[in-house]
Amino acid sequence: MTEIAYVRGDATAPLGKGVRIIAHVCNDLGGWGKGFVVAVSRRWPEPEAAYRRWHRERASNDFGLGAAQFVQVSPYLWVANLVGQRGIRTGRSAGVPVRYEAIDAALGRLADKAVELGASVHMPRIGCGLAGGRWERVEPMVRERLVARGIPVTVYDVAGG
Protein backbone atom coordinates (compact mmCIF):
# COMPACT_ATOMS: atom_id res chain seq x y z
CA MET A 1 0.00 0.00 0.00
CA THR A 2 1.29 3.42 -0.92
CA GLU A 3 1.93 5.85 1.92
CA ILE A 4 1.60 9.62 2.04
CA ALA A 5 5.02 11.24 1.57
CA TYR A 6 5.61 14.19 3.88
CA VAL A 7 8.23 16.72 2.79
CA ARG A 8 9.35 20.23 3.68
CA GLY A 9 8.92 22.51 0.73
CA ASP A 10 6.58 24.43 -1.51
CA ALA A 11 3.48 22.62 -2.78
CA THR A 12 3.38 25.01 -5.76
CA ALA A 13 6.67 23.45 -6.91
CA PRO A 14 5.67 19.76 -6.78
CA LEU A 15 8.39 17.13 -6.79
CA GLY A 16 8.62 14.29 -9.25
CA LYS A 17 7.98 13.63 -12.90
CA GLY A 18 4.88 13.02 -14.95
CA VAL A 19 1.46 14.56 -14.53
CA ARG A 20 0.98 16.25 -11.16
CA ILE A 21 -2.09 17.82 -9.56
CA ILE A 22 -1.72 20.47 -6.86
CA ALA A 23 -4.78 20.28 -4.61
CA HIS A 24 -6.02 22.93 -2.19
CA VAL A 25 -9.23 23.87 -0.42
CA CYS A 26 -11.32 26.93 -1.39
CA ASN A 27 -14.33 28.56 0.24
CA ASP A 28 -17.86 28.62 -1.14
CA LEU A 29 -18.11 32.44 -1.19
CA GLY A 30 -15.93 33.12 -4.22
CA GLY A 31 -13.22 34.65 -2.03
CA TRP A 32 -9.61 34.15 -3.11
CA GLY A 33 -6.81 36.16 -1.56
CA LYS A 34 -5.48 34.67 1.67
CA GLY A 35 -3.52 31.58 2.55
CA PHE A 36 -2.18 29.03 0.05
CA VAL A 37 -4.03 30.59 -2.91
CA VAL A 38 -1.71 33.60 -2.72
CA ALA A 39 1.22 31.32 -3.59
CA VAL A 40 -0.82 29.67 -6.37
CA SER A 41 -1.73 33.04 -7.91
CA ARG A 42 1.90 34.19 -7.74
CA ARG A 43 2.82 31.34 -10.10
CA TRP A 44 -0.24 31.09 -12.37
CA PRO A 45 -3.19 33.43 -12.99
CA GLU A 46 -5.45 30.70 -14.44
CA PRO A 47 -6.61 28.91 -11.23
CA GLU A 48 -7.86 32.14 -9.63
CA ALA A 49 -9.53 33.34 -12.84
CA ALA A 50 -11.21 29.94 -13.34
CA TYR A 51 -12.36 29.79 -9.69
CA ARG A 52 -13.83 33.31 -9.81
CA ARG A 53 -15.62 32.53 -13.10
CA TRP A 54 -16.87 29.21 -11.69
CA HIS A 55 -18.30 31.04 -8.66
CA ARG A 56 -19.77 33.89 -10.73
CA GLU A 57 -21.56 31.40 -13.01
CA ARG A 58 -22.61 29.09 -10.13
CA ALA A 59 -26.31 29.30 -11.05
CA SER A 60 -25.53 27.19 -14.12
CA ASN A 61 -22.73 24.87 -12.92
CA ASP A 62 -21.73 22.53 -10.08
CA PHE A 63 -20.03 25.13 -7.84
CA GLY A 64 -20.67 24.42 -4.16
CA LEU A 65 -19.43 22.46 -1.18
CA GLY A 66 -17.81 19.21 -2.27
CA ALA A 67 -17.22 20.33 -5.86
CA ALA A 68 -13.83 20.21 -7.59
CA GLN A 69 -12.48 22.24 -10.49
CA PHE A 70 -9.37 21.22 -12.42
CA VAL A 71 -7.27 23.88 -14.13
CA GLN A 72 -4.36 22.93 -16.36
CA VAL A 73 -1.45 25.36 -15.90
CA SER A 74 1.22 23.57 -17.97
CA PRO A 75 1.39 20.38 -20.05
CA TYR A 76 2.03 18.19 -16.98
CA LEU A 77 0.64 20.31 -14.17
CA TRP A 78 -2.91 20.92 -12.94
CA VAL A 79 -4.38 22.81 -9.98
CA ALA A 80 -7.43 21.35 -8.23
CA ASN A 81 -9.73 23.91 -6.60
CA LEU A 82 -11.61 21.86 -3.98
CA VAL A 83 -14.59 23.58 -2.33
CA GLY A 84 -14.34 22.38 1.27
CA GLN A 85 -14.88 25.50 3.32
CA ARG A 86 -18.20 27.15 4.24
CA GLY A 87 -17.62 30.87 4.21
CA ILE A 88 -14.54 32.43 5.74
CA ARG A 89 -13.39 33.05 9.28
CA THR A 90 -13.91 36.59 10.51
CA GLY A 91 -13.37 38.26 13.85
CA ARG A 92 -17.00 37.52 14.72
CA SER A 93 -16.97 33.86 13.64
CA ALA A 94 -17.97 31.36 16.27
CA GLY A 95 -16.88 28.17 14.52
CA VAL A 96 -14.41 27.11 11.88
CA PRO A 97 -15.28 27.21 8.17
CA VAL A 98 -13.90 23.75 7.30
CA ARG A 99 -16.49 21.20 6.14
CA TYR A 100 -14.98 17.73 6.37
CA GLU A 101 -17.79 16.04 4.42
CA ALA A 102 -17.22 18.51 1.55
CA ILE A 103 -13.46 17.87 1.57
CA ASP A 104 -14.19 14.13 1.49
CA ALA A 105 -16.53 14.52 -1.52
CA ALA A 106 -14.05 16.77 -3.34
CA LEU A 107 -11.23 14.29 -2.67
CA GLY A 108 -13.33 11.61 -4.38
CA ARG A 109 -13.58 13.82 -7.47
CA LEU A 110 -9.85 14.53 -7.26
CA ALA A 111 -9.12 10.78 -7.13
CA ASP A 112 -11.17 10.17 -10.28
CA LYS A 113 -9.27 12.93 -12.12
CA ALA A 114 -5.87 11.67 -10.89
CA VAL A 115 -6.67 8.15 -12.11
CA GLU A 116 -7.89 9.52 -15.46
CA LEU A 117 -4.66 11.51 -15.93
CA GLY A 118 -2.30 8.99 -14.32
CA ALA A 119 -1.27 11.79 -11.98
CA SER A 120 0.30 12.14 -8.58
CA VAL A 121 -1.31 14.55 -6.07
CA HIS A 122 0.53 17.30 -4.19
CA MET A 123 -0.94 19.44 -1.42
CA PRO A 124 -0.36 21.43 1.72
CA ARG A 125 -2.26 20.13 4.76
CA ILE A 126 -5.56 20.97 3.08
CA GLY A 127 -8.36 22.39 5.17
CA CYS A 128 -6.00 23.04 8.09
CA GLY A 129 -4.93 26.63 7.49
CA LEU A 130 -7.50 29.40 7.25
CA ALA A 131 -10.31 26.80 7.15
CA GLY A 132 -9.41 25.81 10.73
CA GLY A 133 -9.51 22.05 10.24
CA ARG A 134 -7.40 19.40 11.94
CA TRP A 135 -5.06 17.18 9.91
CA GLU A 136 -5.93 14.15 12.04
CA ARG A 137 -9.45 14.44 10.56
CA VAL A 138 -8.34 15.18 6.98
CA GLU A 139 -5.49 12.66 6.65
CA PRO A 140 -7.73 9.55 6.90
CA MET A 141 -9.85 10.94 4.03
CA VAL A 142 -6.71 11.47 1.92
CA ARG A 143 -5.68 7.87 2.66
CA GLU A 144 -9.13 6.45 1.88
CA ARG A 145 -9.90 8.49 -1.25
CA LEU A 146 -6.44 8.73 -2.86
CA VAL A 147 -3.81 6.43 -1.33
CA ALA A 148 -6.15 3.41 -1.25
CA ARG A 149 -6.61 3.84 -5.03
CA GLY A 150 -2.85 3.72 -5.58
CA ILE A 151 -2.46 7.46 -6.19
CA PRO A 152 0.89 8.83 -4.99
CA VAL A 153 0.32 11.72 -2.56
CA THR A 154 2.90 14.20 -1.29
CA VAL A 155 2.04 16.61 1.54
CA TYR A 156 4.18 19.71 1.82
CA ASP A 157 4.97 21.51 5.05
CA VAL A 158 6.42 24.96 4.55
CA ALA A 159 10.18 24.89 5.08
CA GLY A 160 10.94 26.54 8.40
CA GLY A 161 7.21 26.60 9.20
Side-chain angles (χ1 to χ4, degrees):
M1 171 116 157
T2 315
E3 279 300 313
I4 297 172
Y6 288 90
V7 300
R8 288 208 171 281
D10 179 357
T12 67
L15 303 170
K17 301 267 185 255
V19 179
R20 289 156 293 159
I21 302 172
I22 299 167
H24 70 103
V25 166
C26 306
N27 63 64
D28 66 348
L29 291 181
W32 181 291
K34 289 188 174 165
F36 183 71
V37 298
V38 174
V40 170
S41 288
R42 237 182 263 134
R43 287 194 188 255
W44 314 280
E46 300 93 345
E48 177 179 358
Y51 169 79
R52 290 188 184 280
R53 185 171 49 254
W54 189 33
H55 176 263
R56 196 170 48 249
E57 298 170 0
R58 65 192 176 279
S60 61
N61 65 36
D62 67 344
F63 184 91
L65 287 170
Q69 179 188 50
F70 303 97
V71 183
Q72 191 167 12
V73 294
S74 76
Y76 295 99
L77 193 59
W78 295 71
V79 172
N81 295 328
L82 309 178
V83 184
Q85 184 181 323
R86 176 82 188 99
I88 56 174
R89 194 188 307 211
T90 66
R92 296 184 300 277
S93 299
V96 295
V98 69
R99 293 296 178 266
Y100 295 110
E101 61 286 347
I103 290 174
D104 190 46
L107 285 170
R109 291 177 174 88
L110 172 59
D112 291 343
K113 187 69 170 181
V115 167
E116 174 193 322
L117 296 172
S120 57
V121 172
H122 304 260
M123 64 179 71
R125 292 181 187 237
I126 59 169
C128 297
L130 295 173
R134 295 193 347 263
W135 186 245
E136 54 269 21
R137 295 269 313 268
V138 176
E139 185 190 47
M141 292 183 256
V142 172
R143 289 185 186 286
E144 183 181 327
R145 296 289 184 185
L146 301 170
V147 176
R149 290 184 66 182
I151 300 162
V153 176
T154 303
V155 172
Y156 296 75
D157 289 313
V158 177

